Amino acid sequence: MVDRGIGRSLIRFSPSPPRWHLALQAAIAMALPVVTGTALGNQGAGLQASIGAFTALYCTAISRRDRVRVLPLIIAGMVLASALGVLGSGSHLLGLVMLVVVASAAVLLVTGFRVGPPGALMFTLVCGISTQIAAPTELGGPGENGLVLIALIAAGAVTAYLVVIFPLLLPRVWRAQGERTPVSVLFGGFILTANDRISVLRTIAAVILAALVAVPLDQHRGYWIICAALAILSIGHSRRMTVQRGIHRVLGTVVGSGLFLVLAGIGPQGYWLALTLGLLQAFVELVVVRHYALALCGITPLSLLIASAAHASVEAVALERVLDTLAGALVAMLVLLVALPGKNRDGA
């Protein structure tokens, strides 16, 4: 029964409200920094700034007027995650420690404050990509200036914020927002239920275990293992849900890595690269609620095009991401099996 349910999940689409407006704003937020960088003659800087565009993915369930007050906190978190990633870029072990710190803190905060999707994942991803980009050449990294990288990510995050709130300049959109939600509701007290505490502890345990698995690997691989384990454990409390999400994650990464190789072979540059990233981000936002594996087919090449711009071998990057995703999925499953006793392991 469980196997049939998991198999059906690969060919079934879940219901979802219309997400065209979210896909459009996310695509613009992702593409705009690359367009700007290209226009200024520095595509690499634009690509780094686009990391901050993940800000636009947060708090989509609340009104645009309320996001005006909430998203600055997300921006602060993104910039801090990047700064900690840069701080750990000079050492493989320190980089993993920073990833564990960022992932653990993000899991705790987004759970307690009910931030919602994409949760702790993007903060961890920003930290990991920052570590990779700022890693010195002697560690196999491109050795980009860390302070400049942090500033660019901050600029990209602010750009995403402006894209989100820009429609409020239109009187019709402003009137449609209704009353502002009270601050006491938007920034309510930090609350962890019993289930929340179990989920947080379980996820942090998986993050730590994933970091230990990454210790003997290359500098740039640890964040992908941690992100995979984190994403798989971000919903549900049952073995069935975790196995299903893990299978979706692995299969989506395999297909997405293949798409990345195709795109890397084509080698879009400048405005074509901006368009490619924007379309990938739009695709992800359109399908992420309906089919997780399909969303990973877009998330994987999107992330790899940004993170591997200075990497010599795209084939090695693609293979490593598949193996690292599999490792993260196994870590998530192992932690869940240990954490859930008896009958709850098979709970739906």
Side-chain angles (χ1 to χ4, degrees):
M1 181 69 70
V2 171
D3 291 339
R4 287 202 298 271
I6 293 173
R8 284 196 299 269
S9 75
L10 293 171
I11 58 175
R12 184 182 65 229
F13 286 83
S14 301
S16 170
R19 293 178 60 87
W20 286 102
H21 65 296
L22 298 176
L24 180 61
Q25 74 179 19
I28 294 173
M30 177 61 66
L32 195 55
V34 183
V35 169
T36 304
T38 299
L40 295 175
N42 194 337
Q43 176 184 291
L47 202 58
Q48 292 173 20
S50 70
I51 300 170
F54 294 134
T55 300
L57 308 182
Y58 281 88
C59 307
T60 57
I62 63 177
S63 73
R64 207 178 294 268
R65 183 183 292 184
D66 289 334
R67 294 178 82 189
V68 170
R69 292 175 289 162
V70 174
L71 287 183
L73 297 176
I74 301 297
I75 293 174
M78 290 286 183
V79 174
L80 179 58
S82 177
L84 291 175
V86 169
L87 186 62
S89 63
S91 163
H92 180 36
L93 290 178
L94 182 58
L96 288 174
V97 169
M98 290 303 175
L99 273 168
V100 170
V101 169
V102 169
S104 300
V107 166
L108 184 64
L109 292 173
V110 301
T111 303
F113 286 110
R114 301 293 187 271
V115 172
L121 180 61
M122 292 306 172
F123 298 104
T124 309
L125 188 63
V126 167
C127 178
I129 294 178
S130 297
T131 300
Q132 178 180 342
I133 294 175
T137 54
E138 55 267 27
L139 291 179
E144 297 287 343
N145 187 298
L147 292 178
V148 172
L149 174 61
I150 296 168
L152 287 171
I153 290 175
V158 171
T159 299
Y161 176 72
L162 295 176
V163 169
V164 170
I165 69 174
F166 177 78
L168 291 175
L169 295 176
L170 302 175
R172 178 177 59 84
V173 175
W174 178 264
R175 289 192 299 268
Q177 300 300 302
E179 296 296 324
R180 292 200 311 174
T181 305
V183 175
S184 59
V185 174
L186 284 177
F187 306 101
F190 181 86
I191 300 174
L192 288 177
T193 66
N195 280 339
D196 289 337
R197 288 192 291 271
I198 293 172
S199 178
V200 167
L201 290 174
R202 183 186 67 192
T203 306
I204 292 176
V207 165
I208 294 172
L209 181 56
L212 293 175
V213 170
V215 167
L217 302 179
D218 294 335
Q219 165 89 351
H220 59 280
R221 297 180 60 180
Y223 79 92
W224 203 268
I225 300 176
I226 292 174
C227 284
L230 184 65
I232 291 168
L233 288 173
S234 63
I235 63 168
H237 297 274
S238 71
R239 184 172 64 181
R240 184 183 69 82
M241 289 294 295
T242 302
V243 171
Q244 175 177 307
R245 195 169 177 87
I247 290 174
H248 277 242
R249 185 91 192 177
V250 172
L251 292 180
T253 300
V254 170
V255 176
S257 295
L259 178 57
F260 163 68
L261 289 176
V262 172
L263 292 173
I266 296 172
Q269 297 294 318
Y271 300 119
W272 286 110
L273 178 59
L275 178 62
T276 300
L277 294 176
L279 289 175
L280 285 171
Q281 185 66 80
F283 172 77
V284 171
E285 288 308 296
L286 286 174
V287 304
V288 68
V289 175
R290 304 198 66 190
H291 199 287
Y292 186 58
L294 200 56
L296 261 295
C297 295
I299 293 171
T300 302
L302 173 66
S303 301
L304 293 182
L305 284 172
I306 295 173
S308 64
H311 202 281
S313 173
V314 293
E315 292 83 4
V317 169
L319 178 59
E320 287 169 358
R321 290 307 175 265
V322 172
L323 296 177
D324 295 345
T325 299
L326 182 58
L330 293 174
V331 166
M333 191 61 202
L334 176 62
V335 168
L336 191 70
L337 287 173
V338 173
L340 288 183
K343 61 180 181 180
N344 290 332
R345 291 179 178 175
D346 295 311

